[in-house]
Amino acid sequence: MDYEAIIGMEVHAQLKTASKMFCGCDANYAAAPPNTHVCPVCLGLPGALPVMNRVAIEYVLMAGLALNCAIPEEAKFDRKNYPYPDLVKGYQISQYDMPLSRDGWIEIRLEDGTAKRIRIRRAHLEEDTGKSTHMGAYSLVDYNRSGMPLMEVVTEPDIRSGAEAWAYLTKLRAILRYLGIASGNMEEGAMRCEVNISLRPAGSAAFGTKVEVKNLNSFRSVRQSIDYEIKRQAAILDAGGQVEQVTMGWDENAGRTVVQRSKEEANDYRYFPEPDLPVVRARRAWVDELRARLPELPDARQERLIAAGLRPYDAQVLTEEREVAEYVDAALSAGQAAGADARSISNWIMGELFRLLKESGQDIATIQVAPGELAALVGLVNRGAINAAAGKQVLEEMFATGRPAAAIVEARGLAQISDSSELERIVEEAIAANPKAVQDYREGKKAAVGFLTGQVMRASRGKANPQVVSELLRAKLG
Ligand code: ADP
Ligand code: MG
Ligand code: ZN
């Protein structure tokens, strides 16, 4: 039978605040020894009282606005009760029925180029737990993470495939990074993801029983676990069985989901309002002030780049990371004076610069090629001062040394030969040295001209203008 996958996602993102959510502990504990960034509040000692971190609340409100959410006038914190060694208080301060923001959407682009909205159910604020390391016979717990501000973003079940989930995560992470409120690094555990998946017969309206896959720590495992679950559930349904409502984990090495607990063991969290914290009132003036602080977001940036002449796909890729988008913007504005059009600049970045970044493992924010110099290089190629092949060599050297394009062209004598008398001589030599190719061409194998062009380019050490060469060749071969 044909099935449609129904997928909803819950994403946790650690917020980049200076201090923790409800105490003054330094939130930058990345390099710190275990249990050194702790105090009575985040250790849950009796009598310790929480104090709200205003910046964390502002960050979630900004995220809510960027995700097109409504900001209710009142929000509150609740206690979510469950026993676990890394949860020192025996409860987590979270938000149950009055989140900071709700009912928004994110737009993603599907593989066929069309846009699709994924509805956001809510974005709320809670505190992170400590971190357990299981050593076999015993476990170690580090409470440095305990009480870190954590935002949870929950979608409606609008996602239909692993590819859509990937696109959603990419867009969500881009927005959080543009806002500067979260690193979104899944490898470091600063962003964590849970996926809810069910199948229904294609064309049916009712949802099937869902399975939740937890603790996914890369985009790849999100996509793979979804693809795996779709196959697994389809096989059960095809065999006339029923999908069980369970919580699963992802076994990266085996490439399959594994059951962690069944519905019968599901927690009853006994939520109740946190008595030690007041209700949060989001006054309009405050919300307006936060809205005014939002930077230009990926969608708007993408539209602007398309209007400047970039292909929609390129505009999307180039706005996924804020640092890349900023580099592109700087190169485009330098491009006007350098005689480099937006489309050419985008091609050079998407092609050669990305290749160099990938090969070297460098970060675009810290490379030696200034955006203005990249534009200058593209300008040299566009004006025919050097050809594209020489341009690639020049960019490699710029990347390695940080020297300006023009200086490299000069020092290496790469300026393109467009002067036809000099080219004519090289072309004639190539014709004389390759009688077989000449004969092929005259017998109708027009492709032979490509071979001869290559010979001329080689003889000119790549400096010949390929267009002039091929014109000369055709004229001489008749
Ligand atoms: P729970 O109470 O089990 O956490 P929720 O209704 O709160 O379930 O939803 C959690 C997530 O699961 C949301 O992202 C939601 O969109 C998604 N979801 C809800 N029902 C389904 C379903 N039948 N199939 C897939 N995902 C679902
Ligand atoms: Mg859940
Ligand atoms: Zn603390």
Side-chain angles (χ1 to χ4, degrees):
M1 186 156 20
D2 264 0
Y3 298 103
E4 183 181 36
I6 305 294
I7 300 159
M9 310 239 292
E10 299 162 272
V11 173
H12 286 93
Q14 228 176 47
L15 299 176
K16 285 199 298 184
T17 51
S19 57
K20 290 187 182 181
M21 185 60 225
F22 298 115
C23 61
C25 284
D26 184 350
N28 183 12
Y29 58 82
N35 298 310
T36 52
H37 288 228
V38 291
C39 73
V41 172
C42 57
L43 282 176
L45 300 185
L49 290 172
V51 177
M52 279 184 244
N53 182 334
R54 181 188 176 95
V55 174
I57 291 175
E58 291 190 336
Y59 280 2
V60 174
L61 292 175
M62 285 168 74
L65 292 170
L67 299 174
N68 306 294
C69 287
I71 309 294
E73 279 173 32
E74 288 192 348
K76 75 172 162 64
F77 286 100
D78 301 276
R79 289 189 183 180
K80 178 178 179 179
N81 301 280
Y82 66 93
Y84 202 77
D86 64 20
L87 185 68
V88 254
K89 299 194 295 291
Y91 61 86
Q92 176 190 32
I93 304 180
S94 180
Q95 297 195 276
Y96 184 54
D97 54 349
M98 292 172 64
L100 282 164
S101 68
R102 66 197 321 158
D103 303 325
W105 49 268
I106 275 186
E107 192 165 279
I108 60 167
R109 205 160 284 280
L110 305 181
E111 276 150 351
D112 68 2
T114 57
K116 172 176 175 175
R117 276 189 186 185
I118 306 297
R119 288 171 299 155
I120 304 291
R121 181 178 289 179
R122 57 193 279 155
H124 75 236
L125 183 54
E126 57 192 35
E127 58 178 337
D128 210 342
T129 62
K131 200 171 169 158
S132 308
T133 308
H134 302 296
M135 308 295 288
Y138 61 97
S139 294
L140 299 170
V141 193
D142 175 8
Y143 293 108
N144 284 347
R145 197 179 74 180
S146 173
M148 281 293 290
L150 200 60
M151 176 172 67
E152 178 168 356
V153 180
V154 183
T155 74
E156 294 295 338
D158 289 347
I159 298 166
R160 294 288 174 268
S161 67
E164 286 187 23
W166 182 291
Y168 167 76
L169 282 178
T170 304
K171 183 53 89 52
L172 176 62
R173 189 178 63 179
I175 292 171
L176 302 185
R177 287 180 174 173
Y178 270 57
L179 292 172
I181 66 173
S183 77
N185 285 338
M186 288 188 85
E187 308 71 34
E188 295 163 11
M191 182 156 129
R192 309 193 281 273
C193 190
E194 290 157 36
V195 181
N196 299 268
I197 313 163
S198 64
L199 295 189
R200 67 180 175 193
S204 122
F207 287 160
T209 305
K210 76 177 162 76
V211 158
E212 179 168 356
V213 187
K214 275 185 164 332
N215 299 327
L216 297 162
N217 55 13
S218 70
F219 281 29
R220 225 167 63 97
S221 51
V222 168
R223 175 142 72 183
Q224 288 176 341
S225 64
I226 290 174
D227 292 346
Y228 179 86
E229 267 305 303
I230 291 175
K231 286 208 194 88
R232 188 187 70 87
Q233 294 182 23
I236 293 173
L237 297 173
D238 277 340
Q242 282 189 331
V243 173
E244 262 187 88
Q245 184 170 344
V246 287
T247 300
M248 306 189 99
W250 174 244
D251 183 336
E252 184 91 52
N253 298 321
R256 61 190 207 87
T257 53
V258 281
V259 176
Q260 287 183 339
R261 61 179 141 83
S262 68
K263 196 190 174 191
E264 286 68 46
E265 305 162 47
N267 288 309
D268 171 5
Y269 294 119
R270 294 170 289 119
Y271 278 101
F272 64 86
E274 166 59 62
D276 292 335
L277 290 170
V279 161
V280 180
R281 270 176 243 287
R283 281 178 299 103
R284 289 305 106 183
W286 188 24
V287 175
D288 289 344
E289 185 197 313
L290 294 172
R291 197 190 308 275
R293 261 169 45 194
L294 297 181
E296 184 185 32
L297 292 166
D299 283 348
R301 209 150 189 159
Q302 209 170 303
E303 289 309 316
R304 190 164 53 70
L305 291 184
I306 293 170
L310 267 62
R311 288 184 207 89
Y313 174 77
D314 295 1
Q316 186 194 325
V317 172
L318 294 175
T319 50
E320 266 166 22
E321 300 285 347
R322 186 176 181 169
E323 286 76 16
V324 174
E326 270 159 17
Y327 190 96
V328 171
D329 265 345
L332 292 185
S333 57
Q336 288 168 353
D341 63 292
R343 180 69 73 93
S344 304
I345 289 175
S346 143
N347 289 344
W348 277 85
I349 294 176
M350 294 280 293
E352 290 307 302
L353 190 64
F354 276 8
R355 181 178 63 77
L356 291 167
L357 286 171
K358 196 165 172 211
E359 284 170 10
S360 66
Q362 289 189 56
D363 190 352
I364 197 161
T366 52
I367 56 172
Q368 301 206 64
V369 183
E373 274 309 313
L374 182 98
L377 169 72
V378 177
L380 290 174
V381 177
N382 277 9
R383 274 183 273 118
I386 55 174
N387 65 33
K392 289 179 188 178
Q393 293 175 38
V394 173
L395 184 58
E396 276 178 21
E397 189 168 334
M398 291 165 73
F399 197 83
T401 65
R403 291 179 70 201
I408 297 170
V409 169
E410 167 101 39
R412 291 174 54 167
L414 285 170
Q416 182 161 260
I417 311 171
S418 298
D419 167 19
S420 22
S421 62
E422 193 176 349
L423 283 181
E424 243 179 286
R425 184 181 54 75
I426 309 178
V427 165
E428 277 163 7
E429 283 170 11
I431 289 175
N434 296 283
K436 174 81 173 68
V438 172
Q439 191 188 344
D440 284 352
Y441 180 83
R442 295 201 166 123
E443 283 169 4
K445 288 189 194 152
K446 298 297 176 200
V449 83
F451 171 79
L452 290 166
T453 305
Q455 296 304 305
V456 174
M457 294 305 294
R458 168 140 23 126
S460 73
R461 300 209 337 273
K463 293 192 293 184
N465 180 328
Q467 212 162 338
V468 178
V469 170
S470 106
E471 278 162 22
L472 279 172
L473 274 170
R474 281 175 215 279
K476 289 202 180 294
L477 293 169

